[in-house]
Amino acid sequence: MTETLVARGTAAAAVAVTWDADQAVTALYSANYRSLVRLAAMLVRDSGTAEEVVQDAFVAMHGGWRRLRDPDKALSYLRQSVVNRSRSVLRHRAVVEKYAPKGLPDAPSAEAGAIGELERSAVIDALSGLPARQREALVLRYYADLSEAEIAHAMGISRGAVKSHTARGMTALRNVLEQFS
């Protein structure tokens, strides 16, 4: 980037002065930072990331100022750098989202776990107080998820007896658990 300086006095002569990296980047920054951030924000859809992209582009320009072939095209170089860096951010986001671990299912609170444990222990205590046949019928029906016919076969009793033991066991459990709560 060059700047034309006008000498003081009656004979005004224009002199071209080549800027060093600090001066050039400072001038470009003050004149174009906001527009470059807007450009990046439109691409990456996040103002914080957009500012980071633009800052990185300015840092890279400062570091490579001597290698810049045409300093008058520094703004074009910056714009292209912002676009390329924005694309890199978007590619990185896509890869992160693709390989991100799946979220764990919501775990119940400790309070819910404690209440659940109390309820389970109350049910187990109530079951242990039932007569053996009623307990067997309920466990085979609701824990093992067997049908009445399968329960009758497993216990060696009729289906009617399974229905009777199950109904009596549920009534007894209900009475004990209502007293618990």
Side-chain angles (χ1 to χ4, degrees):
M1 179 171 258
T2 58
E3 180 181 351
T4 305
L5 297 176
V6 178
R8 294 183 191 176
T10 55
V15 179
V17 176
T18 304
W19 286 1
D20 68 350
D22 291 340
Q23 293 170 325
V25 171
T26 301
L28 284 168
Y29 184 90
S30 62
N32 300 293
Y33 176 76
R34 288 189 181 131
S35 65
L36 291 171
V37 170
R38 283 192 300 269
L39 170 67
M42 295 295 271
L43 295 172
V44 299
R45 298 176 305 274
D46 174 23
S47 61
T49 304
E51 289 176 358
E52 214 172 286
V53 164
V54 173
Q55 289 293 337
D56 289 345
F58 274 106
V59 168
M61 171 172 268
H62 184 270
W65 183 255
R66 293 184 191 271
R67 293 187 311 270
L68 193 61
R69 289 185 204 132
D70 187 1
D72 291 330
K73 294 185 180 178
L75 182 57
S76 298
Y77 171 83
L78 268 174
R79 279 193 197 107
Q80 189 62 48
S81 179
V82 166
V83 169
N84 290 340
R85 289 170 190 276
S86 296
R87 286 180 184 155
S88 293
V89 165
L90 294 174
R91 278 192 302 269
H92 179 72
R93 280 184 190 167
V95 169
V96 166
E97 288 174 13
K98 182 177 179 181
Y99 294 107
K102 303 298 181 228
L104 296 174
D106 291 338
S109 68
E111 186 176 85
I115 290 171
E117 183 60 34
L118 285 174
E119 290 171 351
R120 280 189 294 280
S121 65
V123 170
I124 291 171
D125 289 344
L127 271 174
S128 65
L130 294 177
R133 291 286 189 168
Q134 290 177 6
R135 184 174 54 246
E136 288 173 10
L138 289 175
V139 168
L140 290 173
R141 176 71 184 115
Y142 296 105
Y143 182 74
D145 201 26
L146 298 179
S147 68
E148 288 176 356
E150 293 170 325
I151 295 170
H153 180 69
M155 291 177 67
I157 57 176
S158 69
R159 290 179 66 187
V162 169
K163 289 180 185 180
S164 176
H165 289 305
T166 304
R168 287 184 193 139
M170 288 299 290
T171 302
L173 273 179
R174 190 174 301 113
N175 291 336
V176 171
L177 292 175
E178 283 176 354
Q179 292 172 359
F180 176 75
S181 53

